[in-house]
């Protein structure tokens, strides 16, 4: 069905736009080509959107405002990669330097600008045509030893040293006597003059003085190499962002296009609007390298009905691949299989020759709700979980924009390239023909704006209806479903940048990729709000980690689950010593939270010369294939049992993600193998110890599937023959068994297998089997060696890190003191009075103790009264005690 058919079908409820089913229960395959419109003319716009100039000797035509104090920010100016790289010369190590004459070469490494520490240095212009200048320090490139992230934000004390010993002295040296009073003598002086103002003070330097300033700074660093060597080899980056509206040239009509001329006009507009740039100096490679974002926008012209353009992903992938780009980021719009956008970097070697470093093809329909800071997150899962007012407001705003603003305008497509300045001059001569050929190839599809935004509105309404239903009915898996609903809602704009692990797990359980490829977009087949749970394929209850992210678990409980001391929570998500019950619940609900995927040793992949390793890999690949194909087709999806070609593919067959994709329903069990701590029940065998079960050496007869696995062409027979062929080479035999055990230990999960060694012998009360079933789910045992725990805790107060809660009531003494104080007695007197009263009560209790009966001589005719023996004195004391209590 097309979008128009779904919109005009009165029998379809808005929920059908999410379930993908008709009123008759038939599945819907969305086909946008049924709604396609073919415009005859296009408006092509060329522009230069941004400028990045990397240089050691910057030169500008206008004055530069240099900051006289460090600009301290929470993050570096270039937070993420802008796809511009520089070659850094790595000095020799001390060991190489000691070997005089042996090694004289130096190594160069390619670094993106976003990984080199840098600071804000100055600016020119203002508002939207601001030119920012950043200062980079390549000699202090390093990674954070804890997080392993590149430390690019220069600390304040380092910036203070640079300004105090380099920038301010250089300013003082080159400035005239008239300008000296306006400069700060030191950092303290500048800070005093600043007077807590949030704006950073600046000092303008004209072209000649600015060049003298940079030269003087370099000399200061070079002359004090002992203390300022970390600031050596510094370079500058001048950046302009979002200048497309200053440089765009519009060409109407496909027959009169001259894009080469328009790009030249765009360059002239850039020079006019940004007079500080000296284009001749910027394209001079002796000074540095300049990069320009050249954009081509294609929009239908003279269309009576506004249209929306969508790139065809198959065309984009073919175009990017033929041009030499690496695998980039694919963004599916509204989770559609064939339409969206693509971004990718050029291969490094190819970029050095072509000077084309990056390409981005995207749909302008994204601009209708694009945030000013270019973020794609409209709301958080936590807001949606409890239907916060800001979440409802965001949904209402998006629906209002899609209903009132979107249908009024046409939204084309844009193809943007980041290329070198000299390459830009060369591209102008041939770009016209290439763009015209691209348009004739029809790489995009055109849909009515009213239809497109109307369809998205119905989709969002359905998602909001489901979310509201889940919240009002207090669904047990509200957190998991909220993550899924939020993902689909965000996808109506663009592919969400960050997806939580529990959402990825839910999408894998729903076979996201398969559903998208078969039905054209993601539908929640089987969603029924009248049932509980409404979607059976995902977890029916929320794991603890989901509740914690949603803010449901109280802080005290969160502290109990988290680690004490300085250990990271992501290392032990449930704590270092969780209880066995907590481990079982986590493995059954969110196994990925507790299981850490290991890295395959490189020698298993690279050491192809070892015959024993090659033999072990071939046996393990055969083992993986045979174990999977012996499972009945009822429990697996079609085409799930493929022969692994490499060891890595074989190990991936036993990962959690792969099992979710292969099995229709799966139940994960926790294992206590080799875990420290005590637990009731028997200890299970570790995965490495299961080698004896999966790779037996004896050939005694067995029953059931194990007997079939001993067939002529089975992996067990193949293993036994190869093992026997090794003869008396006990080292090779031991090495083979060790490798097979190691391969099993690198599996995240395995079937709950049991093997009967002889006829009539049963394990676990039943005949041996390879696969085990519990209800409608296949049981998989997880690898305890991969659990992110230190061991199994005992639970209770011995494993409770929380403090004891305060008592509910005051003690009797405290309450009595407060009553007397409330009646006007001083606190000390009230305390003494209560103490005296308590002593009297204690004395009465001591005096009223039970008096033992007198001893009488025994006689045969006298019976002992077991309940008697109280004297009259004791009775009187009891009555006195009762009277005193009544008083």
């Amino acid at each position: 069905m097309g979008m128009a058919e779904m919109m005009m079908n009165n029998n379809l409820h808005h929920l059908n736009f999410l379930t993908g089913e008709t009123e008759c229960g038939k599945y819907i395959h969305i086909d946008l080509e049924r709604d396609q419109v073919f415009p005859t003319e296009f408006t092509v716009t060329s522009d230069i959107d941004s400028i990045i100039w990397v240089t050691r000797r910057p030169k500008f035509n206008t004055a530069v405002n240099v900051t006289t104090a460090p600009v301290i920010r929470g993050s570096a100016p270039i937070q993420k990669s802008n796809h511009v790289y520089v070659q850094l010369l790595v000095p020799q190590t001390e060991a190489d330097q000691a070997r005089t004459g042996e090694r004289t070469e130096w190594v160069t490494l390619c670094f993106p600008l976003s990984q080199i520490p840098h600071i804000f240095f100055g600016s020119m212009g203002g508002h939207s045509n601001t030119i920012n200048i950043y200062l980079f320090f390549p000699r202090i490139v390093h990674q954070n030893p804890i997080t392993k992230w590149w430390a690019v934000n220069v600390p304040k004390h380092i910036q203070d040293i640079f300004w105090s010993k380099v920038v301010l002295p250089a300013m003082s040296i080159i400035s005239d006597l008239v300008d000296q009073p306006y400069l700060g003598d030191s950092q303290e002086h500048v800070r005093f003059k600043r007077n807590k103002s949030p704006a950073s003070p600046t000092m303008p330097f004209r072209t000649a003085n600015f060049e003298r300033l940079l030269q003087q700074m370099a000399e200061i660093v070079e002359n004090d190499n002992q203390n300022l060597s970390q600031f050596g080899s510094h370079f500058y980056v001048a950046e302009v962002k979002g200048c497309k509206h200053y440089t765009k040239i519009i060409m109407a009509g496909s027959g009169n296009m001259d894009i080469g001329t328009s790009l030249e006009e765009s360059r002239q507009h850039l020079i006019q609007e940004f007079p500080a740039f000296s284009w001749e100096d910027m394209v001079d490679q002796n000074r540095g390298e300049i990069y320009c974002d050249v954009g081509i926008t294609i929009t239908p012209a003279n269309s009576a009905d506004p249209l929306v353009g969508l790139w065809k992903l198959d065309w984009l992938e073919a175009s990017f691949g033929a041009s030499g780009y690496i695998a980039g980021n694919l963004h599916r719009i509204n989770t559609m299989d064939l339409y969206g956008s693509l971004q990718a970097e050029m291969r490094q070697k190819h970029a050095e020759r072509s000077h084309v470093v990056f390409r981005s093809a995207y749909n302008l329909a994204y601009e209708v709700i694009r945030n000013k800071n270019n973020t794609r997150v409209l709301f958080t899962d936590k807001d949606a979980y409890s239907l916060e007012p800001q979440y409802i407001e965001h949904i209402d705003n998006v629906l209002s924009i899609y209903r009132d603003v979107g249908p009024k305008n046409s939204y084309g497509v844009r193809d943007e390239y980041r290329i070198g300045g000299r390459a830009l001059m060369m591209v102008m001569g041939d770009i016209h023909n290439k763009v015209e050929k691209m348009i004739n190839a029809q790489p995009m599809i055109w849909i009515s704006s009213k239809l497109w935004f109307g369809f998205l509105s119905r989709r969002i309404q359905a998602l909001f209806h489901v979310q509201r239903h889940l919240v009002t009915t207090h669904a047990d898996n509200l957190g998991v479903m909220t993550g899924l609903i939020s993902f689909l809602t965000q996808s109506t704009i663009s592919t969400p940048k960050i997806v939580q692990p529990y959402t990825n797990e839910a999408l894998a359980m729903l076979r996201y990729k398969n559903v998208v490829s078969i039905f054209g977009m993601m539908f929640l087949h089987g969603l029924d709000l009248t049932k509980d749970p409404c979607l059976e394929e995902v977890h029916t209850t929320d794991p603890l980690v989901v509740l914690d992210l949603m803010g449901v678990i109280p802080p005290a409980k969160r502290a109990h689950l988290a680690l004490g001391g300085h250990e990271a929570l992501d290392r032990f998500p449930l704590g270092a010593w969780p209880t066995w019950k907590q481990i079982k619940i986590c493995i059954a609900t969110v196994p990925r939270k507790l299981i850490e995927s290991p890295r395959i040793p490189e020698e298993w992949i690279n050491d192809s010369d070892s015959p024993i390793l090659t033999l072990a890999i071939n046996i393990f690949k055969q083992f993986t294939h045979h174990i999977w194909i012996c499972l009945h087709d009822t429990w697996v999806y079609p085409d799930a049992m493929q022969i692994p070609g490499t060891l890595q593919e074989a190990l991936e067959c036993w990962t959690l993600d792969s099992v979710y994709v292969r099995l229709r329903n799966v139940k994960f069990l926790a294992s206590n193998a080799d875990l420290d701590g005590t637990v009731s029940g028997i200890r299970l065998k570790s995965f490495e110890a299961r080698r004896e079960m999966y790779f037996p050496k004896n050939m005694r007869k067995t029953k059931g599937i194990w007997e079939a696995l001993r067939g002529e062409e089975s992996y067990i027979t193949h293993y036994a023959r190869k093992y026997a062929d090794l003869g008396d080479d006990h080292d090779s035999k031991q090495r083979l068994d060790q490798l097979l055990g190691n391969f099993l230990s690198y599996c995240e999960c395995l079937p709950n297998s049991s093997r009967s060694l002889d006829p009539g012998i049963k394990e676990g009360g039943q005949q041996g089997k390879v696969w085990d079933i519990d209800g409608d789910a296949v049981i998989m045992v997880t690898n305890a060696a991969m659990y992110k725990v230190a061991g199994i805790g005992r639970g209770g107060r011995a494993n409770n890190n929380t403090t004891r809660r305060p008592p509910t009531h005051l003690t009797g003494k405290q309450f009595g003191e407060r009553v007397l104080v409330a009646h006007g007695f001083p606190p000390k007197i009230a305390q003494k009075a209560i103490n005296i009263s308590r002593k009297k009560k204690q004395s009465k209790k001591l005096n009223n103790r039970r008096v033992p009966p007198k001893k009488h001589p025994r006689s045969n005719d006298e019976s002992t009264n077991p309940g008697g023996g109280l004297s009259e004195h004791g009775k009187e004391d009891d009555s006195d005690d009762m009277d005193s209590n009544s008083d």
Side-chain angles (χ1 to χ4, degrees), residues 561-631:
L561 295 179
L563 286 176
H566 300 285
E567 297 188 60
L569 182 60
D570 56 351
R571 183 183 175 190
F572 299 124
L574 298 182
W577 295 87
T579 63
W580 177 240
K581 182 178 180 181
Q582 291 174 343
I583 294 176
K584 290 196 300 182
I585 293 175
C586 185
I587 292 297
T589 54
V590 194
R592 178 55 68 193
K593 173 185 176 182
L594 204 60
I595 296 178
E596 183 176 8
S597 300
R599 290 185 177 181
I600 302 176
E602 295 183 359
E603 57 267 20
W604 291 359
I605 302 175
N606 300 328
D607 191 7
S608 58
D609 298 333
S610 174
I612 298 300
L613 176 60
T614 304
L615 175 61
I617 291 176
N618 292 333
I619 294 175
F620 187 78
K621 291 190 298 183
Q622 194 176 17
F623 152 78
T624 300
H625 181 233
H626 288 184
I627 293 296
W628 274 103
I629 63 176
C630 74
L631 183 61

Side-chain angles (χ1 to χ4, degrees), residues 230-294:
Q230 67 269 28
F231 302 122
S233 304
H234 58 264
F235 62 92
Y236 303 86
V237 171
E239 182 186 49
V240 177
K241 300 175 66 175
C243 59
K244 65 168 69 73
H245 299 292
Y246 292 95
T247 62
K248 66 180 178 181
I249 301 296
I250 301 176
M251 296 159 290
S254 59
N256 299 322
M257 289 192 301
D258 190 356
I259 302 176
T261 304
S262 68
L263 278 180
E264 173 59 26
E265 293 183 11
S266 297
R267 190 182 70 88
Q268 294 297 333
H269 278 280
L270 176 70
I271 297 174
Q272 294 174 6
E273 298 294 337
F274 297 90
F277 282 144
S278 175
W279 185 263
E280 292 75 14
D281 293 320
M282 295 173 71
V283 296
D284 184 4
Q285 292 185 331
N286 294 323
R287 285 186 173 271
E289 191 71 37
I290 179 177
Y291 299 89
C292 308
D293 280 357
V294 177

Side-chain angles (χ1 to χ4, degrees), residues 690-756:
R690 294 176 185 233
R691 176 192 56 78
E692 299 177 357
M693 175 177 63
Y694 287 119
F695 301 96
K697 295 182 177 61
N698 60 76
M699 298 298 294
R700 287 181 290 179
K701 293 183 179 180
T702 56
K703 292 185 177 181
I705 188 62
W706 286 108
E707 183 177 1
L709 286 174
R710 292 181 179 274
E712 188 66 22
E713 299 297 332
S714 69
Y715 82 91
I716 295 181
T717 303
H718 179 65
Y719 162 75
R721 289 174 179 172
K722 294 297 182 181
Y723 190 86
D725 292 343
L726 295 176
D728 297 332
D729 191 353
H730 298 290
D731 292 339
S732 297
K733 288 183 176 181
Q734 185 179 4
R735 175 61 175 165
L736 176 62
D737 288 341
Q738 181 184 7
L739 285 172
L740 292 174
N742 290 339
F743 294 162
L744 290 174
S745 68
Y746 273 77
C747 298
E748 294 183 5
C749 60
L750 287 173
N752 189 28
S753 306
S754 60
R755 185 167 58 88
S756 177

